[in-house]
């Protein structure tokens, strides 16, 4: 069931009625039932996958938790008799068992995800290898799996929980039905945000009272999400697709415009979908984590990734980057390199040896950061899709972040040398502009067929600027003049509201206005979505871009 | 505490760790320094430092780092 359909509106309304009629203490049961009904609409067969994740994660967390309890009790009982070393050795034994259970849980769940998502990608490479190496033409057939709804999102969420339980961050959930709700909560299952147990669980299980203002506030958020999705993203989609498909004929500014519009499209699509998720959850009294913080106003790529799809970024940071970065093996590798450099070239060497010494010291220092960062970006690329262009996209992000970090001292020196005001409007604007376009250019991989095609599109941007004629945009590239004007105005509105939001919630400001004005604002928003929402031919409201990841 | 200061001196010998309370906030340590210090601390004290400990408050001063080490040793 799509977020943008009458079915979904009716479903949420019915769920809200039942939710608030139900006894306050047990309202979470309605959320669980609603989440499973919603999930059922995506195909009953999909239940098997989400059930395996729910049950296996619950059981593994239970076993890890039991080991923790066993350790606590044992140490309490033998507090006086054990030496410090004996305690340490006992704890290490328990940790080893917990690690084994964690590994089983992670392997089962990521195993399913990787198998479903990358089976065909792997088969293609195996077939290619067999053909080129042995000349075999008996190709292994593709599996053509259809990914179960939200599998990436709920798997990441469940595995985050399991790792947190392993590290003793929270007490495990003892009720499997409550845990099932944490995994399947319907507003966030299609495209996130990816929540942490410590944040989401209390929200889901708390006793929620009916509050009309909260429902109204959630409704505002939903409508704002629909505005971004229907008025902006869906209106621009056809132009982007058409231009990229005909890039040999429409080069230069046409492609540059497509790149710009795709940035607007993906932001409207993804952040709009998140607005709908957060708004619907709010109506049920559940506060979800924000996923965007005006990313297009970021001054560096690192900052951009702290403000775009924030919950995925922090997930990768906490569960891939830090565990690798703080891994004794990787830290030791860096140290070994530094020691080797010192031994081989000497601290007080000169000339080329001094250069080699410095290089080994700097590289050794960077290994515990850059190897995990490389893994994060490789995984992020793979997460977006089982195609090489996504991997290349991820690796470009890695390279740009490394360059940004390494060139920062030079950049600071230049700022000092030319007496530029780092905190001034001009410098900030320059950095925002640079970051926006770098990220937009990287998205060419997203809208191209493959890697060579993406490089070609990038090359084409810098040719034939003189041939641009806006009439072609209106008449041949699926963005009629009226739609073009509506899109530009809507983008401006979106950014104006983003800027207003910097000083606090826009909705709270609206709610401080006189009541008639509040209703007028809401009517305006609803009207804008109804009248200017893009419901053109071939339009499929259900297809959120991130839903496919 | 002396061992902690010795480890920190190995990274930035010029800092007065008795008084400095803004190692992260003032960007004296960068992320490379912090990870390498964490490696030394884990080896020296046989403790496990994880993602949840990686917050500026735990690394802003020698005292804060020492407090973190003590906390983890007791766990």
């Amino acid at each position: 069931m799509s977020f943008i359909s009458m079915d979904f509106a009716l479903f949420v309304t019915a769920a809200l009625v039942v939710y608030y009629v139900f006894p306050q203490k047990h309202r979470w049961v309605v959320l669980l039932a609603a989440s499973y009904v919603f999930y059922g609409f995506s195909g009953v067969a999909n239940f098997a996958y989400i059930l395996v994740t729910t049950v296996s994660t619950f059981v593994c967390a239970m076993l890890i938790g039991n080991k923790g309890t066993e350790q606590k009790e044992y140490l309490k009982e033998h507090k006086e008799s054990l030496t410090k070393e004996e305690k340490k050795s006992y704890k290490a034994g328990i940790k080893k068992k917990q690690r084994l259970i964690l590994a089983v849980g992670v392997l089962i769940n990521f195993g399913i995800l990787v198998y479903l998502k990358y089976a065909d990608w792997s088969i293609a490479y195996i077939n290619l290898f067999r053909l080129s190496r042995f000349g075999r033409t008996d190709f292994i057939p593709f599996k053509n799996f259809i990914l179960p709804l939200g599998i990436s999102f709920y798997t990441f969420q469940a595995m985050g929980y399991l790792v947190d339980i392993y590290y003793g961050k929270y007490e495990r959930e003892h009720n499997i039905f409550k845990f099932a709700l944490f995994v399947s909560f319907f507003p966030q299952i299609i495209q996130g945000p990816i929540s942490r147990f410590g944040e989401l669980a209390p929200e889901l299980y708390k006793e929620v009272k009916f509050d009309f203002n909260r429902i109204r506030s959630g409704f505002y958020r939903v409508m704002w999400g629909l505005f971004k999705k229907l008025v902006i993203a869906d209106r621009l989609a056809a132009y982007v697709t058409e231009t990229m498909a005909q890039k040999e004929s429409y080069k230069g500014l046409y492609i540059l415009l497509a790149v710009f519009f795709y940035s607007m499209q993906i932001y409207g699509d993804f952040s709009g979908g998140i607005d709908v998720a957060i708004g619907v959850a709010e109506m049920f009294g559940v506060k979800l984590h924000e996923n965007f913080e005006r990313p297009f106003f970021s001054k560096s790529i690192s900052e951009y990734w702290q403000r775009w799809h924030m919950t995925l970024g922090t997930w990768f940071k906490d569960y891939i980057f830090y565990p690798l970065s703080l891994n004794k093996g990787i830290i030791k590798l860096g140290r070994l390199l530094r020691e080797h450099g010192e031994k081989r070239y000497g601290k007080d060497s000169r000339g080329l040896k001094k250069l080699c010494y410095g290089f080994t010291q700097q590289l050794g220092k960077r290994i515990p950061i850059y190897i995990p960062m490389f893994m994060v970006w490789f995984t992020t690329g793979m997460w977006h899709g089982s195609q090489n262009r996504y991997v290349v996209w991820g690796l470009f992000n890695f390279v740009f972040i490394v360059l940004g970090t390494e060139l920062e001292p030079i950049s600071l020196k230049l700022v000092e040398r030319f007496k530029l005001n780092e905190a001034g409007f001009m410098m900030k604007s320059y950095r925002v502009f640079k970051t926006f376009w770098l990220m937009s250019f990287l998205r060419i991989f997203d809208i191209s067929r493959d890697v060579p095609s993406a490089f070609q599109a990038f090359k084409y941007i810098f040719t034939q600027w003189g041939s641009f004629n806006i009439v072609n945009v209106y008449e041949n590239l699926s963005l009629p003049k009226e739609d073009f004007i509506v899109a530009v105005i809507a983008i401006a509105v979106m950014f104006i509201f983003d800027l207003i939001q910097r000083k606090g919630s826009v909705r709270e400001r609206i709610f401080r206005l006189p009541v008639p004005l509040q209703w007028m604002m809401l009517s305006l928003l609803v009207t804008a979505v109804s009248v200017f929402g893009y419901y053109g031919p071939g339009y499929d409201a259900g297809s959120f871009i991130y839903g496919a990841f | 505490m002396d061992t902690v200061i010795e480890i920190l001196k190995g990274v930035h010998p010029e800092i007065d760790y008795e008084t400095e309370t803004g190692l992260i906030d003032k960007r004296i340590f960068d992320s490379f320094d912090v990870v390498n210090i964490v490696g030394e601390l884990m080896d020296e004290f046989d403790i496990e430092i994880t993602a949840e400990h990686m917050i500026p408050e735990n690394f802003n001063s020698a005292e804060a780092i020492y407090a973190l080490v003590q906390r983890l040793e007791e766990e």
Side-chain angles (χ1 to χ4, degrees), chain A residues 117-149:
Chain A
K117 213 165 172 175
Y118 306 107
D120 285 350
W121 187 67
S122 313
I123 289 171
Y125 275 101
I126 293 169
N127 283 340
L128 196 67
F129 175 75
R130 280 159 39 117
L131 178 71
S132 60
R133 191 72 195 259
F134 309 109
R136 290 180 65 167
T137 50
D138 53 330
F139 296 135
I140 305 168
F142 287 126
K143 302 282 179 196
N144 293 321
F145 290 125
I146 294 167
L147 280 183
L149 182 74

Side-chain angles (χ1 to χ4, degrees), chain A residues 84-85 88 91 328 335, chain B residues 1-8 36-49 59 62-75:
Chain A
K84 204 177 168 185
E85 275 63 41
K88 249 185 185 166
K91 278 186 191 174
K328 286 183 181 172
R335 198 183 301 156
Chain B
M1 182 71 168
D2 289 345
T3 319
V4 169
I5 291 185
E6 208 174 298
I7 291 172
L8 300 183
N36 284 291
I37 288 166
V38 164
E40 302 269 353
L41 292 172
M42 290 200 293
D43 264 5
E44 188 63 42
F45 297 99
D46 196 18
I47 50 174
E48 193 175 5
I49 296 175
F59 294 92
E63 207 174 317
I65 297 173
Y66 182 59
L68 172 70
V69 169
Q70 279 188 314
R71 227 168 41 237
L72 293 172
E73 273 189 316
E74 277 162 26
E75 268 180 16

